[in-house]
Amino acid sequence: MPSLFDQHARASIVIHKCQICFLLFAVLYIVSYFIITRYKRKADEQEDEDAIVNRISLFLSTFTLAVSAGAVLLLPFSIISNEILLSFPQNYYIQWLNGSLIHGLWNLASLFSNLCLFVLMPFAFFFLESEGFAGLKKGIRARILETLVMLILLALLILGIVWVASALIDNDAASMESLYDLWEFYLPYLYSCISLMGCLLLLLCTPVGLSRMFTVMGQLLVKPTILEDLDEQMYIITLEEEAIQRKLNGLPAIRGEAKGRGWPATGVKGISSTLENQTVELERELEKVKCKKTNLERRKKASAWERNLVYPAVMILLLIETSISVLLVAFNILYLLVDETAMPKGSGGPGIGNASLSTFGFVGAALEIILIFYLMVSSVVGFYSLRFFENFIPRKDDTTMTKIIGNCVSILVLSSALPVMSRTLGITRFDLLGDFGRFNWLGNFYIVLSYNLLFAIMTTLCLVRKFTSAVREELLKALGLDKLHLSNNPRDSETKPSANGHQKTL
């Protein structure tokens, strides 16, 4: 029987772990709140019913985004914790960083991911769209009642679909009995299906994002000025801005002249509508010209080190990280063919603090963490680069709550699938803990091998397409096929003014 001192020590350790978890989540929640409020559309400050509903949906979305950030940071935190425990096994100040804490964090991340995905986000969406049943008094209570009814119907629908699908796939007595176990089987099985969808989405987004990262960083950094005259370009942009501004200033005079000549009301109205359309178009052109002028001013003020050293260094770093990712996936394919323990569910693992998860020790663990963050950023960039998800792109101070909820759900699915994808591709050898490792499809050799092959092939094709786009465009021009628009996505192209003021597409 443990002594009173041991009981007090264990209780103190549990309290400290809870405090650590709460502190980490509080920091993530505050950061997520500032991110969402930066993009959320500014509403009126009136304390009406819609304002309360928007505020509740905002808090739920913030909680979901914080859980997504925790799911992303969990795998790097576990890897670095394992290396710290190996480096300082007897250090008193890091005894709180043990396997029990890591297991608890993984279980909490899995639990909160399920809670946000199946309860909080559907509640926020239905609560935002609800108006209350007909015949009931309008108000918050009526909207909550309608939301709860919609959630129950949605739960029954999903329950029936997954129950029928599982019964058709694995129709035996044990599986039929396990379907009635809601907590131990049904929810992990449903989360396994969602994780598989998230991994398939990552398989589609990440290769696209890896190739798009070069374009995105090229837009953020200042490029070297090789065979370019920035002064001439600034002069041309200034002339374009002045010309558009003169056109905008002349439109009211045209409207006043039409009224002064005594034209009929219908004619004046038609001219007014035409002038309004022209005003909108000219304002858009003026904004584009001002944006180009700002970029040119930034390039002109940049130092020689920033232009000639930072940009090439970043591009080389991106190329190295992408190449290492593809090489690791290729090696993982070979391991899968010759060693069964390379499967994500091949072994239980040595445990936290018992052995290094990387062949190169602390350096290899640091490289794994960098690659995991790089893949996550690339997957988000690739997600918003796909044509189907272009409307999901949030805009500063002009994003509705419905779109924010959609973005939070998408980020949650991607972040929950990131640890699974990293383990499946062999980026890390860290064995998944908690419900993250209870996915049935992780033990299927053909699914895992096909996933690795598709990722390597798609990433290679996207990179080849990216770096051969200029050669391909020149070949199309030489063959006279440039008018068929067979070149790259127009978003990847960059525009610069020529000497005669027209825009050239590079």
Side-chain angles (χ1 to χ4, degrees):
M1 184 175 180
S3 63
L4 183 62
F5 176 78
D6 293 336
Q7 293 179 0
H8 179 72
R10 291 179 182 177
S12 177
I13 291 173
V14 171
I15 293 174
H16 286 311
K17 289 181 180 179
C18 293
Q19 291 175 348
I20 293 170
C21 295
F22 179 78
L23 180 62
L24 293 175
F25 186 78
V27 172
L28 294 177
Y29 188 90
I30 294 173
V31 174
S32 302
Y33 179 80
F34 281 112
I35 292 175
I36 291 181
T37 52
R38 175 181 176 83
Y39 291 97
K40 180 180 176 295
R41 179 178 294 175
K42 304 303 180 183
D44 296 333
E45 298 299 332
Q46 301 176 358
E47 291 295 331
D48 56 356
E49 180 181 326
D50 291 333
I52 297 175
V53 172
N54 284 329
R55 192 175 295 114
I56 295 174
S57 300
L58 174 64
F59 292 152
L60 295 179
S61 301
T62 305
F63 183 85
T64 303
L65 188 59
V67 171
S68 304
V72 172
L73 297 174
L74 186 57
L75 184 57
F77 178 76
S78 302
I79 295 173
I80 197 66
S81 299
N82 182 71
E83 299 299 327
I84 290 176
L85 289 174
L86 286 175
S87 302
F88 308 98
Q90 303 298 329
N91 195 321
Y92 173 77
Y93 296 101
I94 60 171
Q95 292 302 311
W96 59 272
L97 194 64
N98 51 27
S100 177
L101 175 64
I102 303 300
H103 279 264
L105 289 175
W106 278 82
N107 289 327
L108 286 176
S110 177
L111 175 63
F112 286 153
S113 298
N114 282 281
L115 181 66
C116 294
L117 194 59
F118 300 118
V119 180
L120 298 184
M121 284 294 93
F123 179 86
F125 176 76
F126 290 130
F127 191 45
L128 197 65
E129 299 294 329
S130 64
E131 297 179 356
F133 291 112
L136 296 179
K137 184 179 179 180
K138 301 297 182 181
I140 298 295
R141 292 183 178 179
R143 300 180 72 161
I144 292 177
L145 178 61
E146 181 183 354
T147 303
L148 293 178
V149 172
M150 294 298 297
L151 282 178
I152 293 173
L153 295 176
L154 179 64
L156 292 175
L157 177 62
I158 296 177
L159 181 68
I161 292 175
V162 177
W163 195 89
V164 172
S166 178
L168 291 175
I169 295 173
D170 195 5
N171 189 13
D172 57 354
S175 297
M176 297 297 292
E177 292 179 0
S178 62
L179 284 173
Y180 297 101
D181 193 350
L182 182 65
W183 184 259
E184 292 295 329
F185 176 82
Y186 184 80
L187 287 179
Y189 180 80
L190 184 59
Y191 191 64
S192 174
C193 297
I194 299 296
S195 176
L196 178 59
M197 295 174 57
C199 288
L200 294 177
L201 184 61
L202 282 175
L203 180 62
L204 183 64
C205 298
T206 309
V208 177
L210 290 174
S211 62
R212 280 281 298 169
M213 283 293 293
F214 295 91
T215 303
V216 173
M217 296 306 297
Q219 294 173 353
L220 296 177
L221 300 176
V222 178
K223 297 182 179 180
T225 55
I226 301 175
L227 301 179
E228 286 186 295
D229 190 352
L230 295 181
D231 294 330
E232 181 184 358
Q233 295 183 22
M234 282 290 299
Y235 178 71
I236 295 171
I237 288 293
T238 304
L239 292 180
E240 290 184 2
E241 183 181 7
E242 294 176 353
I244 296 174
Q245 192 65 51
R246 284 195 298 268
K247 291 181 181 179
L248 282 173
N249 296 334
L251 292 179
I254 298 176
R255 186 183 293 108
E257 184 180 355
K259 292 181 180 180
R261 291 186 178 182
W263 287 12
T266 55
V268 174
K269 185 177 180 180
I271 291 177
S272 299
S273 61
T274 304
L275 292 178
E276 289 178 358
N277 294 333
Q278 292 181 357
T279 302
V280 172
E281 293 179 359
L282 289 175
E283 288 178 351
R284 291 177 181 174
E285 293 181 4
L286 185 61
E287 289 295 328
K288 293 179 181 179
V289 170
K290 288 183 178 180
C291 182
K292 295 176 183 177
K293 185 178 180 180
T294 303
N295 292 334
L296 286 176
E297 290 176 349
R298 179 168 174 263
R299 293 182 62 187
K300 189 175 180 180
K301 293 179 181 179
S303 62
W305 289 96
E306 185 179 358
R307 288 197 306 265
N308 302 322
L309 182 62
V310 175
Y311 180 82
V314 171
M315 290 298 149
I316 293 174
L317 182 61
L318 291 178
L319 184 59
I320 292 174
E321 291 180 348
T322 307
S323 303
I324 293 176
S325 302
V326 176
L327 288 176
L328 288 177
V329 175
F331 286 132
N332 188 55
I333 294 174
L334 296 177
Y335 290 150
L336 289 172
L337 295 175
V338 299
D339 190 1
E340 293 182 356
T341 59
M343 292 287 294
K345 297 180 72 173
S347 62
I352 301 296
N354 295 326
S356 180
L357 302 173
S358 176
T359 307
F360 302 100
F362 194 86
V363 177
L367 179 61
E368 290 178 1
I369 293 174
I370 293 174
L371 291 178
I372 289 171
F373 282 117
Y374 180 58
L375 290 178
M376 185 60 197
V377 175
S378 301
S379 64
V380 174
V381 172
F383 176 79
Y384 288 116
S385 299
L386 298 177
R387 293 184 181 274
F388 185 76
F389 300 106
E390 281 183 346
N391 295 329
F392 272 66
I393 299 177
R395 303 186 184 279
K396 183 182 177 182
D397 297 333
D398 192 28
T399 307
T400 61
M401 276 306 306
T402 304
K403 189 177 290 187
I404 288 177
I405 292 173
N407 279 274
C408 291
V409 171
S410 303
I411 298 298
L412 177 62
V413 172
L414 293 176
S415 60
S416 300
L418 179 67
V420 184
M421 186 191 74
S422 301
R423 180 66 182 93
T424 306
L425 296 177
I427 302 298
T428 179
R429 296 296 173 184
F430 185 85
D431 289 303
L432 304 177
L433 305 174
D435 288 337
F436 282 85
R438 296 174 60 182
F439 305 143
N440 297 328
W441 58 271
L442 288 177
N444 192 312
F445 172 78
Y446 297 101
I447 292 179
V448 175
L449 181 62
S450 301
Y451 193 90
N452 282 263
L453 288 173
L454 286 175
F455 182 87
I457 294 173
M458 291 176 63
T459 303
T460 304
L461 290 178
C462 288
L463 291 177
V464 170
R465 180 178 179 271
K466 174 69 179 178
F467 290 107
T468 60
S469 59
V471 178
R472 187 171 60 255
E473 289 180 359
E474 292 299 328
L475 289 176
L476 290 176
K477 290 180 180 179
L479 296 175
L481 301 177
D482 54 321
K483 297 181 180 180
L484 297 178
H485 303 288
L486 299 175
S487 60
N488 276 347
N489 193 329
R491 290 174 300 178
D492 292 342
S493 61
E494 301 171 1
T495 57
K496 60 175 278 187
S498 62
N500 55 6
H502 297 290
Q503 298 294 327
K504 285 186 178 181
T505 301
L506 296 181

